Every structure is written in C-alpha cells, then in structure tokens.
Amino acid sequence: MGKYKRILLKLSGEALASSDNTVDPETLNRVVGIIKSVLDQGVEVGIVVGGGNIFRGAALAEAGMNRVTGDHMGMLATVMNALAISDSCRKNNIDVLVMSGFPIGGGVCEPMDHNKARQALSNGTVVIFSAGTGAPYFTTDTGATLRAIEIGAQAVFKATKVDGVYTADPMKDPTATRYDTLSFDEAIAKNLQIMDTSAFAMCREHNLEICVFSMLEDTNTLSNILKGEALGTIVRN
Ligand code: UDP
C-alpha cells in the first residue's frame, strides 16, 4: 500500500464541459477511466465536482440576479454534474453514491453524512459530494477541502487542463517551468493561484496536501502520481 489510502478528486465543471454548456460524454468516459485506475490500485476515491460549466453564482449576480439565489443555482448545477458522473460510473460497474451539501428529496441523492461516506468509501464505493459546502458564497474548491478533511483523505487531487503549477503561465511564457513540489508558504509568497484563498488556508491548517495534475493527457496520470511518479505539482506544509 502506497502513501495514499483515500483521496479526494476535485473535478471542475469546466473540465466536464462540452460546447453547449452541459457535460461531454467523452469527458465522462475519461473521468471513469481515471476513477477505475485509482480504484484498481486499492485507493478509495471521494469526488467533489464543480458546476461552472452550467452556472456560477458570481456571474449570475453580475448579470443582476440575487447572489444567494445565483449560488443556489450554481450548487444545483454541481448536483447535475454529479448525477452525470454517477450514471457513467454505474454503467461501468463502479459502485457509487451521490451526496449533497443540502438535502434533496425524491431519491435524487443522499444528504451529506460523513459517517455514511466513510463507511461507503471503506467498502470501495466512490462517493461524489455535490452542492459544494451547501452554503452560498463558497466555491467547490472549498467544498473539496472540507469534504477531504471530513472523510480523512490524505490529499486533494485537483484535475485541470494543465499538468501542474508553473513559474508563469505556460500558455504565454515558453520559459515557464513546472514545480514538482511546493510549500504552502512558497505558493503564497509567489502569489500562485492554486485554489481560492479559503480552500488554500484550510489545506494548510489541516495539513492536507494539494496535487494539481492534468486530466487531459493519459487516464493513468493520477494513478501514476499515486505510485510516486512526479507528474503533477504537490503542495504541502
Ligand atoms: N457554490 C456555492 N457554494 C459552494 C460551492 C459552490 O454557492 O460551497 C456555487 C457558486 O455559485 C459557484 C457554483 O456553485 O460558482 C459552481 O461551483 P464552482 O464555481 O466552484 O465550480 P467549478 O469552478 O469548479 O466548475
């Protein structure tokens, strides 16, 4: 058994997006491939999914909507993404449970319960935590950090379109280089935007590692990082 027994995978809504602002079936297949390769290694997987491909509260508020209502819509968008991922998991014979940060009836998903989540994870079930923290004015990065701490995960793995944290924007600066590891203090001193400030502060305080990796390349990238390969950027105390 490697260093990681239980991880929290953070998938942004954008990472799931298709051109029509919904979910892309090909991306869902890729996500299932990533989950499968991690489970095959005997590592337990919790997932927090974003909703930015559908709604973001701050953007809705800018367009004139009440911010709290906009955030409720954003959180409901994360529930839709979670249901899409759960459907793809089940089709691929992966046991999965969807929980929500606020209660939703009708058998759509279960309310967040850290004991139930821990039990399910121990049995090899993938637990998808939707609706972020369940409260407005937060992000799913903070939701991911909170759930990771609640379930006792060793790290948050943030799937992005880039393979880690760079000294500068690699799209703009060809001399930019990727960090293999970074401390929280270095990331703050260098003003590197890895997660929003509240999520970042929680990780630091609770000694929770953050690993940024690319979900676009190989579906085995995450499982290879779990095996010890330096394929992303790890931020730790
Ligand atoms: N949101 C919220 N509280 C939370 C998490 C999310 O109100 O704890 C809302 C917020 O409006 C946010 C939206 O849900 O913009 C979608 O989440 P996020 O922007 O984090 O998604 P991502 O960028 O990961 O796709």
Side-chain angles (χ1 to χ4, degrees), residues 151-181:
I151 63 172
Q154 284 88 41
V156 175
F157 285 83
K158 185 172 161 136
T160 69
K161 292 175 177 169
V162 190
D163 65 345
V165 181
Y166 279 75
T167 49
D169 184 346
M171 307 287 183
K172 293 178 193 154
D173 181 351
T175 66
T177 53
R178 180 170 60 83
Y179 295 103
D180 282 341
T181 57

Side-chain angles (χ1 to χ4, degrees), residues 16 47 49 54 59 80 86 123-124 131 147 161 176 204-205 211 214 222:
L16 299 173
I47 298 176
V49 62
I54 306 172
M80 289 192 257
S86 72
N123 293 334
R147 298 306 176 219
K161 292 175 177 169
R204 185 187 200 190
E205 186 182 336
C211 176
S214 165
L222 175 53

